[in-house]
């Protein structure tokens, strides 16, 4: 039963190389307030944000313009990948805009790495909620830097295993 | 370049713009021999880019599956209270 419902939920992942954007659209079988809460409260974010088998750990969260979320995605063997999301604009429960960034355990952003802007919108879709995330890089060169970094930092190989796992489960078709 | 542009049915300057983007991204490289410019695919970079996008897609797919489960359990708590 669960599987059937999940299969019907819309999931789009579109890369626009010319505009250097990634657009992710996904439906959720829940009301907008609850989906919004899951994106904006640390205790809820910690329960879903990292892809399996990683887990999420929040170090700091201040959800307001000028505030930021500092968190790690942690592998089963304890390796932590730190990131932060700096909130720029918030319109509850419609949308928020933020700047992502690679950082260290202290929250210091790596200045050599590109930062992408996230525009996340929440809209009603009958009894469901549609979440649209547009990740915008400043240039094609910035995307290339993110790719190069991804290959170096070890998260890529973790994700690659995940990719294979999803393929086996038939989820990426 | 003219040879490459032909099947796309667009003016050469527009085509050059697209080629420029691909070259800056490192997906192709071009070389000039006299008046002739040739393009070659950077297979390694192309493969790395495709893999990275696939990884990103897998990451979002997986985290959203986690969110499905969380929403389901939160909805359950609501109904239970």
């Amino acid at each position: 039963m669960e599987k059937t419902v999940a299969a019907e939920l819309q999931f789009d992942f579109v890369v626009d190389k010319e505009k250097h954007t990634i657009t992710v659209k996904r439906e959720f079988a829940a009301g907008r307030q609850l989906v919004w809460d899951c994106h904006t409260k640390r205790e809820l974010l910690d329960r879903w944000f990292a892809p399996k088998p990683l887990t999420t750990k929040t170090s700091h969260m201040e959800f307001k313009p000028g505030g930021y979320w500092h968190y790690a995605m942690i592998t089963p063997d304890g390796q932590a990948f730190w990131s932060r999301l700096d909130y720029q604009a918030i319109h509850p429960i419609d949308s928020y805009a933020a700047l992502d960034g690679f950082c260290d355990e202290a929250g210091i952003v790596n200045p050599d790495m590109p930062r992408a802007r996230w525009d996340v919108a929440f809209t009603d879709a009958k009894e469901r909620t549609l979440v649209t995330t547009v990740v915008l890089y400043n240039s094609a060169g910035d995307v290339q830097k993110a790719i190069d970094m991804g290959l170096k930092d070890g998260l890529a190989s973790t994700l690659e295993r995940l990719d294979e796992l999803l393929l086996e489960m038939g989820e990426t078709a | 370049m003219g040879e490459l542009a032909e099947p796309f049915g667009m003016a050469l300057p527009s085509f050059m713009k697209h080629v420029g983007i691909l070259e800056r991204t490192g997906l192709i490289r071009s070389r000039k021999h006299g008046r002739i410019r040739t393009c070659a695919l950077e297979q390694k970079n192309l493969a790395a880019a495709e893999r990275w996008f696939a990884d990103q897609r897998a990451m979002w797919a997986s985290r959203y599956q986690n969110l499905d489960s969380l929403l389901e359990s939160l909805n359950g708590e609501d109904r239970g209270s």
Side-chain angles (χ1 to χ4, degrees), chain A residues 69-71 81-86 98-104 107-110 113-118:
Chain A
W69 179 36
H70 177 214
Y71 66 97
F81 297 97
W82 290 95
S83 301
R84 64 181 268 173
L85 204 53
D86 286 80
L99 211 54
D100 76 3
F102 292 91
C103 68
D104 61 12
I108 309 295
V109 174
N110 181 344
M113 283 303 301
R115 303 191 74 175
R117 161 142 176 165
W118 290 25

Side-chain angles (χ1 to χ4, degrees), chain A residues 40-168:
Chain A
T40 56
K41 294 187 170 169
R42 61 185 290 169
E43 67 276 15
L44 294 176
L45 278 163
D46 279 357
R47 291 170 68 179
W48 70 273
F49 197 76
K52 278 191 179 116
L54 287 74
T55 52
T56 321
K57 186 179 124 187
T58 293
S59 153
H60 171 92
M61 173 52 137
E62 192 178 16
F63 188 68
K64 66 169 202 190
Y68 65 93
W69 179 36
H70 177 214
Y71 66 97
M73 298 203 285
I74 301 166
T75 64
D77 55 9
Q79 197 185 357
F81 297 97
W82 290 95
S83 301
R84 64 181 268 173
L85 204 53
D86 286 80
Y87 299 109
Q88 298 178 317
I90 294 170
H91 303 283
I93 53 174
D94 295 324
S95 68
Y96 72 85
L99 211 54
D100 76 3
F102 292 91
C103 68
D104 61 12
E105 197 172 346
I108 309 295
V109 174
N110 181 344
D112 301 329
M113 283 303 301
R115 303 191 74 175
R117 161 142 176 165
W118 290 25
D119 283 300
V120 188
F122 301 75
T123 47
D124 294 326
K126 293 187 184 156
E127 290 95 71
R128 292 173 176 175
T129 301
L130 176 68
V131 178
T132 306
T133 302
V134 180
V135 180
L136 168 68
Y137 287 88
N138 277 327
S139 66
D142 273 5
V143 178
Q144 190 56 48
K145 272 189 208 162
I147 294 171
D148 294 342
M149 169 76 177
L151 295 178
K152 264 184 269 165
D153 75 357
L155 186 55
S157 53
T158 304
L159 291 176
E160 221 162 289
R161 284 198 297 275
L162 172 70
D163 215 8
E164 286 160 15
L165 188 71
L166 287 172
L167 210 61
E168 281 167 26

Side-chain angles (χ1 to χ4, degrees), chain B residues 33-70:
Chain B
H33 314 270
R35 291 174 55 208
I36 297 172
R37 183 175 283 280
T38 56
C39 290
L41 288 175
E42 288 281 15
Q43 299 282 10
K44 224 179 93 199
N45 290 348
L46 202 60
E50 289 313 315
R51 203 162 60 229
W52 186 77
F53 289 125
D55 292 346
Q56 293 294 311
R57 188 189 195 280
M59 180 169 70
W60 284 95
S62 173
R63 67 159 57 123
Y64 279 160
Q65 281 169 10
N66 298 342
L67 183 50
D68 285 336
S69 310
L70 175 60

